[in-house]
Amino acid sequence: MAGVLYVVATPIGNLGDLTVRAREVLAEADLVAAEDTRHTMRLLDHYGLQARLESLHDHSSTRRIEQIVARVADGDTVALVSDAGTPLISDPGFELVRAAREADLDVRPVPGACAATAALSVAGLPTDRFRFCGFPPAKAAARERFLTELAGASATLVLYESSHRVVATLAALADAFGSGRPAFVAREMTKRFEQYVRGSLGSLAEAVAAGEIPTKGEFVLVVGGAPEGRADDGTLRELLAVLLEELPASRAARVAARLSGRPRKECFAIAEALRGG
């Protein structure tokens, strides 16, 4: 009989968050496929667990994936883990799970920690509809296009970001979505120096840039969805036309963004077009 591929969630910081069931699966597995075997070994050692470890990451060969699938097909129990949280959620493992599903094998989740849902649960922003967006692109132009596409989404957005890009990303979010959009920063969740701050995108961008929120550790950004009262193009043009009678384009765009819920950059582009026309 074929075995089972377990997708096992591991702690995102506090090692006490490993579930009892996850410990049992890791202890009984014939093989643990790990993103980083050294990292997973520390977790296993903490609980006194013995397991055979093999690495499985984004750069693993097709042959490695085929070998693991073959082991499950032959009856082995394999546990897939990433360095932290739930595998496949911005972590490796998709190719293995897809291959196992295509081979009609038994794939089962062992639920547990996930940084996205952990941050969402304490952000104080709507949770009835949310959209997980992973890591924004690293390059500025690609990141701007990525965020522009999300600006009109009405669902709450959840993004991951690294410490060395969080300043630029929060500034880009405030520019693309409007500085007044409600948002939440979760830093180093469940770890010794965990920090949670809620505010507007503008205030959070300023706090990170000023060092009030240290640029150290791992970040989850939760952003409120676009307001339902978001002005349509016609209404926005009418608003900007009136504002431009009294204000320069930059200030008119700032006021219009605050009143309409539209991004400041978008308002400025329309203001420039109206002024030029």
Side-chain angles (χ1 to χ4, degrees), residues 68-79:
I68 296 174
V69 169
R71 292 194 60 163
V72 178
D74 288 341
D76 280 354
T77 295
V78 175

Side-chain angles (χ1 to χ4, degrees), residues 75-216:
D76 280 354
T77 295
V78 175
L80 168 67
V81 299
S82 61
D83 286 350
T86 302
L88 280 73
I89 309 301
S90 281
D91 278 339
F94 168 68
E95 296 294 344
L96 175 61
V97 171
R98 179 169 64 177
R101 283 294 179 198
E102 289 175 348
D104 201 26
L105 296 174
D106 192 0
V107 183
R108 304 180 192 178
V110 181
C114 175
T117 53
L120 189 65
S121 71
V122 296
L125 292 167
T127 58
D128 54 333
R129 288 186 304 126
F130 65 91
R131 181 172 174 179
F132 176 65
C133 305
F135 285 90
K139 294 185 178 179
R143 182 172 57 230
E144 182 177 342
R145 290 193 297 271
F146 174 80
L147 296 179
T148 298
E149 292 175 0
L150 295 173
S154 58
T156 299
L157 305 176
V158 183
L159 304 95
Y160 290 168
E161 193 49 282
S162 64
S163 57
H164 60 278
R165 288 203 298 266
V166 68
V167 172
T169 294
L170 276 169
L173 278 163
D175 196 37
F177 293 4
S179 61
R181 185 83 70 92
F184 178 80
V185 169
R187 185 179 71 87
E188 289 290 82
M189 284 191 296
T190 78
K191 300 177 183 178
R192 181 179 179 185
F193 297 108
E194 62 187 336
Q195 183 179 18
Y196 306 96
V197 185
R198 184 177 176 182
S200 66
L201 277 174
S203 67
L204 292 173
E206 291 174 359
V208 172
E212 296 170 13
I213 300 175
T215 52
K216 295 180 180 179

